C-alpha cells in the first residue's frame, strides 16, 4: 500500500522582492480583511496579470482544479500547483506576510502546474497587498505584488460555512470496487463500500475496523477510481435540513491518507 501523505517536506523561505512599480491599492477600493474572513472560503484562481497588465494565460489550462489558497487563523496552504505549499502568515498594514513555508518534493512534467508554483511563490514572497472586493455577487481576493503581478481568487464557501458549524473527523477505508445498492442520488444503483478505521493522536491505527457497508451518499471532493483502495480522512457535518431523500449528515474529503491497488482477494 502506498502512502500519499506529505512524506517529504522541504523548508522553503520565500524572499521578498524589491519594489519597482507598485499598483495603487486605493484604486481597487481595498477592504479591511481579517484571518477569520479569509478562512471562510476556498480561494480559487479567477484571474491573473503581470506587471504590464497582460493576462497570465499559462496559469490556466481549461481543465482540472484551479490554483487554490486556503487559510486558517494562522496558516496558509497552496494546492493544485506542482507541490503543496503551506506555512504561517499574518496580515500587516494590508499586506500578506508569510513565514518560512514548507513544500512537498515533487517534480512535475505539467508546465501549467510548474508555472503556477513559480508564480505563487513569487507573489507570496513579495509581501503582496491584500485586497478584497466583490463583483456580480462573487467575493474576490487579490494579491498584488510590488512589480504589478496580481492574482485574483474567487471565494467558494467552505463546508463549515455551508453546513453551519465544524465537522467531526472520521477515517473511512473505501474498497476498490463499488457495490450495488439503492439510494435517491445518482448513480442510484452504485455505492461506495466503506468501513470505519480509528487512529490515535500519533497517527497509528488502533482497534478493529468497522464492518464493510455501502455508503448511500457521495463523499464531497472524492472521485473514486475502480480497482484502487483508499483510506480517507473525512469531515462529517450534520445537515439539519437535507434535501428530500438525502442523508442527515454530509461527508467532505479532508485528505487521502493511503492509496494502493487492491490485491485480488481484497474487497
Amino acid at each position: 500500500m502506498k502512502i500519499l501523505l506529505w512524506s517529504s517536506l522541504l523548508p522553503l523561505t520565500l524572499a521578498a522582492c524589491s519594489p519597482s512599480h507598485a499598483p495603487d491599492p486605493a484604486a481597487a477600493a481595498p477592504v479591511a480583511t481579517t484571518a477569520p474572513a479569509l478562512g471562510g472560503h476556498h480561494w480559487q484562481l479567477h484571474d491573473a496579470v503581470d506587471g504590464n497588465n497582460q493576462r497570465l494565460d499559462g496559469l490556466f489550462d481549461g481543465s482540472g482544479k484551479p490554483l487554490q489558497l486556503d487559510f486558517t487563523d494562522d496558516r496558509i496552504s497552496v494546492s493544485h500547483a506542482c507541490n503543496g505549499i503551506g506555512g504561517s502568515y499574518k496580515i500587516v498594514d494590508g499586506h500578506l506576510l508569510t513565514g518560512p513555508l514548507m513544500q512537498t518534493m515533487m517534480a512535475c512534467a505539467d508546465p501549467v502546474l510548474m508555472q503556477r508554483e513559480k508564480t505563487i511563490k513569487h507573489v507570496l514572497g513579495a509581501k503582496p497587498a491584500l485586497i478584497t472586493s466583490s463583483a456580480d455577487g462573487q467575493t474576490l481576493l487579490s494579491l498584488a505584488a510590488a512589480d504589478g503581478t496580481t492574482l485574483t481568487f474567487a471565494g467558494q464557501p467552505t463546508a463549515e460555512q455551508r453546513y453551519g458549524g465544524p465537522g467531526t473527523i472520521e477515517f473511512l477505508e473505501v474498497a476498490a470496487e463499488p457495490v450495488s445498492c439503492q439510494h435517491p442520488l445518482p448513480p442510484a444503483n452504485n455505492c461506495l463500500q466503506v468501513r470505519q478505521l480509528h487512529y490515535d493522536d500519533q497517527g497509528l491505527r488502533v482497534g478493529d475496523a468497522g464492518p464493510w457497508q455501502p455508503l448511500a451518499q457521495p463523499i464531497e471532493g472524492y472521485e473514486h477510481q475502480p480497482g484502487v483502495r483508499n483510506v480517507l480522512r473525512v469531515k462529517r457535518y450534520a445537515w439539519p435540513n437535507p434535501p428530500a431523500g438525502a442523508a442527515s449528515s454530509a461527508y467532505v474529503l479532508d485528505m487521502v491518507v493511503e492509496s494502493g491497488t487492491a490485491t485480488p482477494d481484497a474487497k
Side-chain angles (χ1 to χ4, degrees):
M1 186 170 283
K2 180 174 64 178
I3 303 298
L4 288 188
L5 265 174
W6 296 39
S7 55
S8 295
L9 292 175
L10 173 68
L12 174 67
T13 303
L14 299 181
C17 298
S18 300
S20 53
H21 51 283
D24 179 8
V31 178
T33 303
T34 63
L38 294 175
H41 295 80
H42 301 296
W43 299 99
Q44 298 179 343
L45 189 63
H46 175 71
D47 198 8
V49 296
D50 63 15
N52 296 316
N53 205 34
Q54 298 298 307
R55 190 171 190 266
L56 297 173
D57 291 324
L59 303 181
F60 304 88
D61 64 355
S63 63
K65 297 178 179 180
L67 183 69
Q68 179 170 304
L69 301 182
D70 286 283
F71 297 84
T72 63
D73 287 346
D74 59 357
R75 305 287 293 179
I76 180 175
S77 63
V78 180
S79 52
H80 311 150
C82 178
N83 287 279
I85 301 171
S88 63
Y89 80 96
K90 57 185 177 180
I91 301 171
V92 178
D93 295 331
H95 289 255
L96 179 68
L97 277 60
T98 58
L101 299 178
M102 307 287 281
Q103 73 172 71
T104 55
M105 297 174 62
M106 291 178 57
C108 297
D110 188 332
V112 173
L113 297 181
M114 290 296 294
Q115 187 60 43
R116 288 177 180 178
E117 181 169 313
K118 179 181 178 181
T119 303
I120 193 63
K121 285 181 182 180
H122 164 67
V123 171
L124 290 180
K127 301 179 182 179
L130 188 153
I131 303 162
T132 57
S133 59
S134 62
D136 299 324
Q138 178 73 68
T139 302
L140 301 175
L141 169 69
S142 295
L143 301 181
D147 67 358
T149 304
T150 302
L151 305 181
T152 299
F153 299 82
Q156 303 296 329
T158 63
E160 286 80 1
Q161 287 282 91
R162 290 184 284 112
Y163 294 113
T168 301
I169 292 289
E170 295 184 2
F171 291 88
L172 297 178
E173 182 176 6
V174 181
E177 301 298 338
V179 294
S180 297
C181 67
Q182 291 294 326
H183 64 88
L185 300 176
N189 61 348
N190 206 9
C191 287
L192 296 176
Q193 183 159 235
V194 305
R195 62 179 178 177
Q196 193 164 24
L197 304 180
H198 305 279
Y199 292 83
D200 63 17
D201 292 340
Q202 283 71 47
L204 301 176
R205 185 169 163 180
V206 296
D208 297 328
W212 288 104
Q213 55 188 357
L215 183 65
Q217 63 186 101
I219 299 173
E220 184 179 324
Y222 175 68
E223 295 183 9
H224 184 68
Q225 294 181 317
V228 178
R229 303 174 59 138
N230 290 291
V231 175
L232 310 179
R233 189 173 76 185
V234 300
K235 290 186 178 181
R236 181 170 59 83
Y237 296 90
W239 201 350
N241 299 299
S248 60
S249 60
Y251 289 95
V252 178
L253 177 66
D254 187 50
M255 179 182 293
V256 178
V257 178
E258 296 177 2
S259 182
T261 303
T263 56
D265 59 347
K267 284 193 174 185

mmCIF file with all atom_site columns, all heavy atoms in Angstrom, residues 146-169:
data_model
loop_
_atom_site.group_PDB
_atom_site.id
_atom_site.type_symbol
_atom_site.label_atom_id
_atom_site.label_alt_id
_atom_site.label_comp_id
_atom_site.label_asym_id
_atom_site.label_entity_id
_atom_site.label_seq_id
_atom_site.pdbx_PDB_ins_code
_atom_site.Cartn_x
_atom_site.Cartn_y
_atom_site.Cartn_z
_atom_site.occupancy
_atom_site.B_iso_or_equiv
_atom_site.pdbx_formal_charge
_atom_site.auth_seq_id
_atom_site.auth_comp_id
_atom_site.auth_asym_id
_atom_site.auth_atom_id
_atom_site.pdbx_PDB_model_num
ATOM 1   N N   . ALA A 1 146 ? 4.536   44.069 -5.642  1.00 0.00 ? 146 ALA A N   1
ATOM 2   C CA  . ALA A 1 146 ? 5.027   45.400 -5.962  1.00 0.00 ? 146 ALA A CA  1
ATOM 3   C C   . ALA A 1 146 ? 5.387   45.554 -7.430  1.00 0.00 ? 146 ALA A C   1
ATOM 4   O O   . ALA A 1 146 ? 5.353   46.661 -7.973  1.00 0.00 ? 146 ALA A O   1
ATOM 5   C CB  . ALA A 1 146 ? 6.240   45.740 -5.091  1.00 0.00 ? 146 ALA A CB  1
ATOM 6   N N   . ASP A 1 147 ? 5.714   44.464 -8.122  1.00 0.00 ? 147 ASP A N   1
ATOM 7   C CA  . ASP A 1 147 ? 6.072   44.566 -9.535  1.00 0.00 ? 147 ASP A CA  1
ATOM 8   C C   . ASP A 1 147 ? 4.848   44.550 -10.444 1.00 0.00 ? 147 ASP A C   1
ATOM 9   O O   . ASP A 1 147 ? 4.968   44.547 -11.670 1.00 0.00 ? 147 ASP A O   1
ATOM 10  C CB  . ASP A 1 147 ? 7.044   43.463 -9.937  1.00 0.00 ? 147 ASP A CB  1
ATOM 11  C CG  . ASP A 1 147 ? 6.422   42.071 -9.889  1.00 0.00 ? 147 ASP A CG  1
ATOM 12  O OD1 . ASP A 1 147 ? 5.236   41.935 -9.511  1.00 0.00 ? 147 ASP A OD1 1
ATOM 13  O OD2 . ASP A 1 147 ? 7.128   41.094 -10.228 1.00 0.00 ? 147 ASP A OD2 1
ATOM 14  N N   . GLY A 1 148 ? 3.646   44.564 -9.844  1.00 0.00 ? 148 GLY A N   1
ATOM 15  C CA  . GLY A 1 148 ? 2.421   44.606 -10.633 1.00 0.00 ? 148 GLY A CA  1
ATOM 16  C C   . GLY A 1 148 ? 1.770   43.260 -10.866 1.00 0.00 ? 148 GLY A C   1
ATOM 17  O O   . GLY A 1 148 ? 0.623   43.191 -11.302 1.00 0.00 ? 148 GLY A O   1
ATOM 18  N N   . THR A 1 149 ? 2.482   42.173 -10.604 1.00 0.00 ? 149 THR A N   1
ATOM 19  C CA  . THR A 1 149 ? 1.864   40.853 -10.739 1.00 0.00 ? 149 THR A CA  1
ATOM 20  C C   . THR A 1 149 ? 0.711   40.737 -9.751  1.00 0.00 ? 149 THR A C   1
ATOM 21  O O   . THR A 1 149 ? 0.899   40.952 -8.546  1.00 0.00 ? 149 THR A O   1
ATOM 22  C CB  . THR A 1 149 ? 2.885   39.732 -10.463 1.00 0.00 ? 149 THR A CB  1
ATOM 23  O OG1 . THR A 1 149 ? 4.010   39.882 -11.334 1.00 0.00 ? 149 THR A OG1 1
ATOM 24  C CG2 . THR A 1 149 ? 2.253   38.366 -10.671 1.00 0.00 ? 149 THR A CG2 1
ATOM 25  N N   . THR A 1 150 ? -0.468  40.444 -10.257 1.00 0.00 ? 150 THR A N   1
ATOM 26  C CA  . THR A 1 150 ? -1.665  40.402 -9.410  1.00 0.00 ? 150 THR A CA  1
ATOM 27  C C   . THR A 1 150 ? -2.451  39.134 -9.692  1.00 0.00 ? 150 THR A C   1
ATOM 28  O O   . THR A 1 150 ? -2.805  38.841 -10.835 1.00 0.00 ? 150 THR A O   1
ATOM 29  C CB  . THR A 1 150 ? -2.564  41.629 -9.663  1.00 0.00 ? 150 THR A CB  1
ATOM 30  O OG1 . THR A 1 150 ? -1.810  42.826 -9.399  1.00 0.00 ? 150 THR A OG1 1
ATOM 31  C CG2 . THR A 1 150 ? -3.793  41.597 -8.755  1.00 0.00 ? 150 THR A CG2 1
ATOM 32  N N   . LEU A 1 151 ? -2.703  38.384 -8.638  1.00 0.00 ? 151 LEU A N   1
ATOM 33  C CA  . LEU A 1 151 ? -3.511  37.171 -8.719  1.00 0.00 ? 151 LEU A CA  1
ATOM 34  C C   . LEU A 1 151 ? -4.834  37.432 -8.016  1.00 0.00 ? 151 LEU A C   1
ATOM 35  O O   . LEU A 1 151 ? -4.857  37.885 -6.874  1.00 0.00 ? 151 LEU A O   1
ATOM 36  C CB  . LEU A 1 151 ? -2.796  35.989 -8.054  1.00 0.00 ? 151 LEU A CB  1
ATOM 37  C CG  . LEU A 1 151 ? -1.388  35.664 -8.541  1.00 0.00 ? 151 LEU A CG  1
ATOM 38  C CD1 . LEU A 1 151 ? -0.836  34.447 -7.792  1.00 0.00 ? 151 LEU A CD1 1
ATOM 39  C CD2 . LEU A 1 151 ? -1.376  35.430 -10.043 1.00 0.00 ? 151 LEU A CD2 1
ATOM 40  N N   . THR A 1 152 ? -5.936  37.141 -8.700  1.00 0.00 ? 152 THR A N   1
ATOM 41  C CA  . THR A 1 152 ? -7.263  37.353 -8.137  1.00 0.00 ? 152 THR A CA  1
ATOM 42  C C   . THR A 1 152 ? -7.961  36.009 -7.973  1.00 0.00 ? 152 THR A C   1
ATOM 43  O O   . THR A 1 152 ? -8.043  35.228 -8.918  1.00 0.00 ? 152 THR A O   1
ATOM 44  C CB  . THR A 1 152 ? -8.104  38.269 -9.030  1.00 0.00 ? 152 THR A CB  1
ATOM 45  O OG1 . THR A 1 152 ? -7.437  39.544 -9.126  1.00 0.00 ? 152 THR A OG1 1
ATOM 46  C CG2 . THR A 1 152 ? -9.494  38.483 -8.452  1.00 0.00 ? 152 THR A CG2 1
ATOM 47  N N   . PHE A 1 153 ? -8.435  35.756 -6.761  1.00 0.00 ? 153 PHE A N   1
ATOM 48  C CA  . PHE A 1 153 ? -9.065  34.495 -6.416  1.00 0.00 ? 153 PHE A CA  1
ATOM 49  C C   . PHE A 1 153 ? -10.534 34.714 -6.100  1.00 0.00 ? 153 PHE A C   1
ATOM 50  O O   . PHE A 1 153 ? -10.901 35.706 -5.462  1.00 0.00 ? 153 PHE A O   1
ATOM 51  C CB  . PHE A 1 153 ? -8.373  33.869 -5.199  1.00 0.00 ? 153 PHE A CB  1
ATOM 52  C CG  . PHE A 1 153 ? -6.917  33.555 -5.409  1.00 0.00 ? 153 PHE A CG  1
ATOM 53  C CD1 . PHE A 1 153 ? -5.955  34.550 -5.267  1.00 0.00 ? 153 PHE A CD1 1
ATOM 54  C CD2 . PHE A 1 153 ? -6.513  32.280 -5.747  1.00 0.00 ? 153 PHE A CD2 1
ATOM 55  C CE1 . PHE A 1 153 ? -4.610  34.270 -5.450  1.00 0.00 ? 153 PHE A CE1 1
ATOM 56  C CE2 . PHE A 1 153 ? -5.164  31.987 -5.938  1.00 0.00 ? 153 PHE A CE2 1
ATOM 57  C CZ  . PHE A 1 153 ? -4.218  32.979 -5.793  1.00 0.00 ? 153 PHE A CZ  1
ATOM 58  N N   . ALA A 1 154 ? -11.369 33.797 -6.543  1.00 0.00 ? 154 ALA A N   1
ATOM 59  C CA  . ALA A 1 154 ? -12.806 33.834 -6.233  1.00 0.00 ? 154 ALA A CA  1
ATOM 60  C C   . ALA A 1 154 ? -13.066 32.933 -5.039  1.00 0.00 ? 154 ALA A C   1
ATOM 61  O O   . ALA A 1 154 ? -12.560 31.808 -4.968  1.00 0.00 ? 154 ALA A O   1
ATOM 62  C CB  . ALA A 1 154 ? -13.614 33.366 -7.443  1.00 0.00 ? 154 ALA A CB  1
ATOM 63  N N   . GLY A 1 155 ? -13.860 33.421 -4.101  1.00 0.00 ? 155 GLY A N   1
ATOM 64  C CA  . GLY A 1 155 ? -14.126 32.681 -2.879  1.00 0.00 ? 155 GLY A CA  1
ATOM 65  C C   . GLY A 1 155 ? -15.265 31.680 -3.034  1.00 0.00 ? 155 GLY A C   1
ATOM 66  O O   . GLY A 1 155 ? -16.339 32.030 -3.521  1.00 0.00 ? 155 GLY A O   1
ATOM 67  N N   . GLN A 1 156 ? -15.003 30.443 -2.623  1.00 0.00 ? 156 GLN A N   1
ATOM 68  C CA  . GLN A 1 156 ? -16.030 29.402 -2.565  1.00 0.00 ? 156 GLN A CA  1
ATOM 69  C C   . GLN A 1 156 ? -16.234 29.056 -1.093  1.00 0.00 ? 156 GLN A C   1
ATOM 70  O O   . GLN A 1 156 ? -15.281 28.689 -0.411  1.00 0.00 ? 156 GLN A O   1
ATOM 71  C CB  . GLN A 1 156 ? -15.591 28.159 -3.347  1.00 0.00 ? 156 GLN A CB  1
ATOM 72  C CG  . GLN A 1 156 ? -15.260 28.423 -4.803  1.00 0.00 ? 156 GLN A CG  1
ATOM 73  C CD  . GLN A 1 156 ? -16.461 28.890 -5.603  1.00 0.00 ? 156 GLN A CD  1
ATOM 74  O OE1 . GLN A 1 156 ? -17.596 28.512 -5.301  1.00 0.00 ? 156 GLN A OE1 1
ATOM 75  N NE2 . GLN A 1 156 ? -16.225 29.721 -6.612  1.00 0.00 ? 156 GLN A NE2 1
ATOM 76  N N   . PRO A 1 157 ? -17.457 29.181 -0.570  1.00 0.00 ? 157 PRO A N   1
ATOM 77  C CA  . PRO A 1 157 ? -17.671 28.927 0.867   1.00 0.00 ? 157 PRO A CA  1
ATOM 78  C C   . PRO A 1 157 ? -17.184 27.543 1.279   1.00 0.00 ? 157 PRO A C   1
ATOM 79  O O   . PRO A 1 157 ? -17.366 26.559 0.554   1.00 0.00 ? 157 PRO A O   1
ATOM 80  C CB  . PRO A 1 157 ? -19.192 29.044 1.018   1.00 0.00 ? 157 PRO A CB  1
ATOM 81  C CG  . PRO A 1 157 ? -19.631 29.904 -0.126  1.00 0.00 ? 157 PRO A CG  1
ATOM 82  C CD  . PRO A 1 157 ? -18.707 29.569 -1.260  1.00 0.00 ? 157 PRO A CD  1
ATOM 83  N N   . THR A 1 158 ? -16.536 27.465 2.431   1.00 0.00 ? 158 THR A N   1
ATOM 84  C CA  . THR A 1 158 ? -16.080 26.189 2.954   1.00 0.00 ? 158 THR A CA  1
ATOM 85  C C   . THR A 1 158 ? -17.274 25.368 3.437   1.00 0.00 ? 158 THR A C   1
ATOM 86  O O   . THR A 1 158 ? -18.389 25.882 3.599   1.00 0.00 ? 158 THR A O   1
ATOM 87  C CB  . THR A 1 158 ? -15.116 26.393 4.126   1.00 0.00 ? 158 THR A CB  1
ATOM 88  O OG1 . THR A 1 158 ? -15.822 27.061 5.186   1.00 0.00 ? 158 THR A OG1 1
ATOM 89  C CG2 . THR A 1 158 ? -13.908 27.229 3.703   1.00 0.00 ? 158 THR A CG2 1
ATOM 90  N N   . ALA A 1 159 ? -17.012 24.093 3.685   1.00 0.00 ? 159 ALA A N   1
ATOM 91  C CA  . ALA A 1 159 ? -18.073 23.226 4.209   1.00 0.00 ? 159 ALA A CA  1
ATOM 92  C C   . ALA A 1 159 ? -18.581 23.741 5.551   1.00 0.00 ? 159 ALA A C   1
ATOM 93  O O   . ALA A 1 159 ? -19.785 23.674 5.840   1.00 0.00 ? 159 ALA A O   1
ATOM 94  C CB  . ALA A 1 159 ? -17.553 21.803 4.345   1.00 0.00 ? 159 ALA A CB  1
ATOM 95  N N   . GLU A 1 160 ? -17.686 24.277 6.382   1.00 0.00 ? 160 GLU A N   1
ATOM 96  C CA  . GLU A 1 160 ? -18.115 24.833 7.668   1.00 0.00 ? 160 GLU A CA  1
ATOM 97  C C   . GLU A 1 160 ? -19.113 25.957 7.478   1.00 0.00 ? 160 GLU A C   1
ATOM 98  O O   . GLU A 1 160 ? -20.086 26.075 8.228   1.00 0.00 ? 160 GLU A O   1
ATOM 99  C CB  . GLU A 1 160 ? -16.896 25.328 8.455   1.00 0.00 ? 160 GLU A CB  1
ATOM 100 C CG  . GLU A 1 160 ? -16.037 24.244 9.068   1.00 0.00 ? 160 GLU A CG  1
ATOM 101 C CD  . GLU A 1 160 ? -15.081 23.607 8.064   1.00 0.00 ? 160 GLU A CD  1
ATOM 102 O OE1 . GLU A 1 160 ? -15.080 24.032 6.876   1.00 0.00 ? 160 GLU A OE1 1
ATOM 103 O OE2 . GLU A 1 160 ? -14.352 22.681 8.460   1.00 0.00 ? 160 GLU A OE2 1
ATOM 104 N N   . GLN A 1 161 ? -18.865 26.780 6.457   1.00 0.00 ? 161 GLN A N   1
ATOM 105 C CA  . GLN A 1 161 ? -19.794 27.865 6.166   1.00 0.00 ? 161 GLN A CA  1
ATOM 106 C C   . GLN A 1 161 ? -21.120 27.319 5.662   1.00 0.00 ? 161 GLN A C   1
ATOM 107 O O   . GLN A 1 161 ? -22.192 27.762 6.072   1.00 0.00 ? 161 GLN A O   1
ATOM 108 C CB  . GLN A 1 161 ? -19.186 28.791 5.100   1.00 0.00 ? 161 GLN A CB  1
ATOM 109 C CG  . GLN A 1 161 ? -18.052 29.664 5.588   1.00 0.00 ? 161 GLN A CG  1
ATOM 110 C CD  . GLN A 1 161 ? -18.549 30.851 6.370   1.00 0.00 ? 161 GLN A CD  1
ATOM 111 O OE1 . GLN A 1 161 ? -18.694 30.795 7.588   1.00 0.00 ? 161 GLN A OE1 1
ATOM 112 N NE2 . GLN A 1 161 ? -18.812 31.940 5.681   1.00 0.00 ? 161 GLN A NE2 1
ATOM 113 N N   . ARG A 1 162 ? -21.055 26.358 4.758   1.00 0.00 ? 162 ARG A N   1
ATOM 114 C CA  . ARG A 1 162 ? -22.275 25.854 4.130   1.00 0.00 ? 162 ARG A CA  1
ATOM 115 C C   . ARG A 1 162 ? -23.149 25.044 5.082   1.00 0.00 ? 162 ARG A C   1
ATOM 116 O O   . ARG A 1 162 ? -24.372 25.091 4.995   1.00 0.00 ? 162 ARG A O   1
ATOM 117 C CB  . ARG A 1 162 ? -21.921 25.012 2.902   1.00 0.00 ? 162 ARG A CB  1
ATOM 118 C CG  . ARG A 1 162 ? -21.370 25.833 1.754   1.00 0.00 ? 162 ARG A CG  1
ATOM 119 C CD  . ARG A 1 162 ? -21.118 25.012 0.511   1.00 0.00 ? 162 ARG A CD  1
ATOM 120 N NE  . ARG A 1 162 ? -19.930 24.193 0.614   1.00 0.00 ? 162 ARG A NE  1
ATOM 121 C CZ  . ARG A 1 162 ? -19.908 22.879 0.685   1.00 0.00 ? 162 ARG A CZ  1
ATOM 122 N NH1 . ARG A 1 162 ? -21.050 22.200 0.666   1.00 0.00 ? 162 ARG A NH1 1
ATOM 123 N NH2 . ARG A 1 162 ? -18.776 22.218 0.776   1.00 0.00 ? 162 ARG A NH2 1
ATOM 124 N N   . TYR A 1 163 ? -22.491 24.301 5.999   1.00 0.00 ? 163 TYR A N   1
ATOM 125 C CA  . TYR A 1 163 ? -23.263 23.449 6.894   1.00 0.00 ? 163 TYR A CA  1
ATOM 126 C C   . TYR A 1 163 ? -23.457 24.055 8.282   1.00 0.00 ? 163 TYR A C   1
ATOM 127 O O   . TYR A 1 163 ? -24.053 23.437 9.153   1.00 0.00 ? 163 TYR A O   1
ATOM 128 C CB  . TYR A 1 163 ? -22.601 22.069 7.008   1.00 0.00 ? 163 TYR A CB  1
ATOM 129 C CG  . TYR A 1 163 ? -22.637 21.309 5.703   1.00 0.00 ? 163 TYR A CG  1
ATOM 130 C CD1 . TYR A 1 163 ? -21.466 21.039 4.995   1.00 0.00 ? 163 TYR A CD1 1
ATOM 131 C CD2 . TYR A 1 163 ? -23.834 20.868 5.158   1.00 0.00 ? 163 TYR A CD2 1
ATOM 132 C CE1 . TYR A 1 163 ? -21.492 20.349 3.803   1.00 0.00 ? 163 TYR A CE1 1
ATOM 133 C CE2 . TYR A 1 163 ? -23.874 20.184 3.959   1.00 0.00 ? 163 TYR A CE2 1
ATOM 134 C CZ  . TYR A 1 163 ? -22.693 19.924 3.288   1.00 0.00 ? 163 TYR A CZ  1
ATOM 135 O OH  . TYR A 1 163 ? -22.734 19.242 2.099   1.00 0.00 ? 163 TYR A OH  1
ATOM 136 N N   . GLY A 1 164 ? -22.913 25.257 8.492   1.00 0.00 ? 164 GLY A N   1
ATOM 137 C CA  . GLY A 1 164 ? -23.218 25.992 9.711   1.00 0.00 ? 164 GLY A CA  1
ATOM 138 C C   . GLY A 1 164 ? -22.486 25.551 10.957  1.00 0.00 ? 164 GLY A C   1
ATOM 139 O O   . GLY A 1 164 ? -22.960 25.792 12.069  1.00 0.00 ? 164 GLY A O   1
ATOM 140 N N   . GLY A 1 165 ? -21.305 24.937 10.821  1.00 0.00 ? 165 GLY A N   1
ATOM 141 C CA  . GLY A 1 165 ? -20.551 24.546 12.002  1.00 0.00 ? 165 GLY A CA  1
ATOM 142 C C   . GLY A 1 165 ? -19.417 23.617 11.663  1.00 0.00 ? 165 GLY A C   1
ATOM 143 O O   . GLY A 1 165 ? -19.285 23.170 10.523  1.00 0.00 ? 165 GLY A O   1
ATOM 144 N N   . PRO A 1 166 ? -18.586 23.308 12.658  1.00 0.00 ? 166 PRO A N   1
ATOM 145 C CA  . PRO A 1 166 ? -17.431 22.440 12.413  1.00 0.00 ? 166 PRO A CA  1
ATOM 146 C C   . PRO A 1 166 ? -17.856 20.989 12.203  1.00 0.00 ? 166 PRO A C   1
ATOM 147 O O   . PRO A 1 166 ? -18.892 20.541 12.706  1.00 0.00 ? 166 PRO A O   1
ATOM 148 C CB  . PRO A 1 166 ? -16.605 22.584 13.693  1.00 0.00 ? 166 PRO A CB  1
ATOM 149 C CG  . PRO A 1 166 ? -17.614 22.931 14.744  1.00 0.00 ? 166 PRO A CG  1
ATOM 150 C CD  . PRO A 1 166 ? -18.646 23.773 14.058  1.00 0.00 ? 166 PRO A CD  1
ATOM 151 N N   . GLY A 1 167 ? -17.064 20.267 11.458  1.00 0.00 ? 167 GLY A N   1
ATOM 152 C CA  . GLY A 1 167 ? -17.337 18.858 11.216  1.00 0.00 ? 167 GLY A CA  1
ATOM 153 C C   . GLY A 1 167 ? -16.610 17.967 12.202  1.00 0.00 ? 167 GLY A C   1
ATOM 154 O O   . GLY A 1 167 ? -15.740 18.408 12.954  1.00 0.00 ? 167 GLY A O   1
ATOM 155 N N   . THR A 1 168 ? -16.960 16.690 12.191  1.00 0.00 ? 168 THR A N   1
ATOM 156 C CA  . THR A 1 168 ? -16.314 15.679 13.022  1.00 0.00 ? 168 THR A CA  1
ATOM 157 C C   . THR A 1 168 ? -15.367 14.859 12.148  1.00 0.00 ? 168 THR A C   1
ATOM 158 O O   . THR A 1 168 ? -15.760 14.370 11.088  1.00 0.00 ? 168 THR A O   1
ATOM 159 C CB  . THR A 1 168 ? -17.362 14.745 13.655  1.00 0.00 ? 168 THR A CB  1
ATOM 160 O OG1 . THR A 1 168 ? -18.263 15.525 14.448  1.00 0.00 ? 168 THR A OG1 1
ATOM 161 C CG2 . THR A 1 168 ? -16.694 13.689 14.520  1.00 0.00 ? 168 THR A CG2 1
ATOM 162 N N   . ILE A 1 169 ? -14.112 14.725 12.579  1.00 0.00 ? 169 ILE A N   1
ATOM 163 C CA  . ILE A 1 169 ? -13.131 13.969 11.812  1.00 0.00 ? 169 ILE A CA  1
ATOM 164 C C   . ILE A 1 169 ? -13.413 12.473 11.936  1.00 0.00 ? 169 ILE A C   1
ATOM 165 O O   . ILE A 1 169 ? -13.589 11.947 13.043  1.00 0.00 ? 169 ILE A O   1
ATOM 166 C CB  . ILE A 1 169 ? -11.702 14.259 12.300  1.00 0.00 ? 169 ILE A CB  1
ATOM 167 C CG1 . ILE A 1 169 ? -11.304 15.709 11.982  1.00 0.00 ? 169 ILE A CG1 1
ATOM 168 C CG2 . ILE A 1 169 ? -10.707 13.282 11.674  1.00 0.00 ? 169 ILE A CG2 1
ATOM 169 C CD1 . ILE A 1 169 ? -11.086 15.960 10.511  1.00 0.00 ? 169 ILE A CD1 1
#
